[in-house]
Every structure is written in C-alpha cells, then in structure tokens.
Amino acid sequence: MDRQKEQADALLSRELQFDDDFTPFPKTKTKARHTYKFILVESIAILSIILNIIAAVDYFAPKNVSFRDVPTDYSGLPHDQPVVYDWESPFGPGNQNSTLQDEVWEAMTIGQGIISLPKDWAKAKGLHPSATFPWDHSRAVYLVAGYHKLHCIKKIRRWIVATERGSQRTDHYEHVLHCLDGIRQAILCEGDDTPLYLSEVGDKISGRDEPRQCRDWSKLDRWAKENTACYGYDNEAADDSGGIKHYKYCPRDSPYAPVMREYFGLPDDYYEEPVEEVPSY
Ligand SMILES: *[C@@H]1O[C@H](CO)[C@@H](O)[C@H](O)[C@H]1NC(C)=O
C-alpha cells in the first residue's frame, strides 16, 4: 500500500511539476500560433518583394505612352512602336564624319515607295485613280507618302549641304522649295501632339530620349515591297522620274518580271538591282 502511495505521490509531484511549468497556452498550440504568424509575415514580405519588383520593372521599363489608335486604311499599321527621340542620330550634326553622314542619307532609297495597287481595291478605299502599272493593267501606280517626304528632305539636305560646302547643287531650286512647302503641309496634317519635355538648366533641349509611339517603318517598307511597282530611280536628285525605263527593276520572284523582260527583250533570268545614285555634292 505504501508503495502505491509513493507512486501516487510521485505522479502527483510530476503533475505539480508540470503545473509549475504551466503556461496559458499549451506548448503545441504555441508552436502552431508561431507558425501562423510566421506564414503571415513571410507572405507579406514576399508580396512586398513582388510588388517592389513589379514597381521597379515598371519604373525602369521604356514608358509606353498610352494611346488609342486605329490601323491605317492602306498598310494597316497602327502607332504601336515606342521609339525614343534620338538627339544624336547619325543623320544629324552629332555625326562629325560628313562623308558618313552623306552615306546614311543617300542609303535611304525611295524607289520602293513607288508601288502598284489593284485598281478595284484602290477605288474601294476611295483613292484617286492613278497611272496604270505597265506590267499589269488591273493595277495602278502610287507613291507612298512617307517615301515622298523622305525624297523631299533628301533634296532639302543636299541643297543646304552643297551650299555650305560651296559645291555643285544637284537638285532643282523650285523642286526644293516645293518640297519644303510639302513638308510644312505634312506637319500641319499630322498635328503631332506629343508633349516634348524641356530641360531645367543649361541650354534648352527638348525631347531627348523621350519615347513616342511610332509606326514601324520596317513594316511599311515590307508592305511597299510586297506591292512593288518594280521601280527604280537612276538619279534621284534629277527630276527625271517619268518613263517606262524606270520600271525594269522587278524582284527576281516578282509575278511581273516575265512581262517586263519580254517588253525590254531581256533574257529570262534578267534581274537588275535598282541603284539610286546622285552626283557628288
Ligand atoms: C568617314 O566615313 C567614311 C565612310 O564611311 C570612311 O571611309 C572614313 O574613314 C571616315 N573618316 C573618319 C575620319 O573616320
């Protein structure tokens, strides 16, 4: 019996010992509480890191100016290309090598801007009737306006540069003035409303590195080439743009190449790369 009492006392003391250790929350429950807290804090921290990364990516990413735009009626291109304004492009005075500057300007060829479009399609689009394409009479020849503008600013630049250098001016004065007026009208027509920032200090500069929404010129170029009129200038500076001799530059795989070759009496594999040369200036 004594032994039984001893055992009972021992148990009781153990229980008491346990009671001494008593905390309002049982050990296992405390652990669970800590785990929930930890998960909560950890989740908030991870969420915060993710939000910070998103904010940083957004902050450093090139800004997409918000825009609403509809694709054009003709090539179907929208203004969907963020491009920063390049203050020091190789076409400008930042390019100190004037030979190289001339080269990049003259490398902008214009001939591919003369295209042929189905007459029916052009009529449905409300386009003015245009000259018949010599190699397919169901099509008419058009000059894509963007290429006309490039052609014009090339003329204007050549005039200015040749005047500055005191060298031979290769373009016609009246044509240069016509081009200048054409650009003026194009600027008014476009009504570009991009707000260009101004620097706070020093020489006022505007718009450097500022993003704008542009059409993708390479896609316009592709569209023009898909609708080729096989056209090439011999001398883009001279105002000789008429005559069937300009239409013999069909791409090798062009459906119009056989008709063109037959007209000029050229061999079946004839192909000539259009080269737009201008006299040195
Ligand atoms: C200028 O550019 C031309 C044409 O690319 C090149 O041949 C010439 O070496 C360049 N000159 C200098 C000084 O870099």
Side-chain angles (χ1 to χ4, degrees), residues 97 99-100 103:
N97 184 335
T99 312
L100 190 58
E103 278 176 7

Side-chain angles (χ1 to χ4, degrees), residues 40-76:
L40 185 70
V41 171
E42 201 179 44
S43 302
I44 290 170
I46 289 170
L47 189 67
S48 162
I49 289 166
I50 291 169
L51 290 176
N52 272 300
I53 290 169
I54 291 169
V57 166
D58 183 58
Y59 183 81
F60 291 109
K63 294 288 171 291
N64 285 8
V65 181
S66 68
F67 72 104
R68 269 171 301 225
D69 195 21
V70 287
T72 64
D73 275 353
Y74 313 119
S75 66

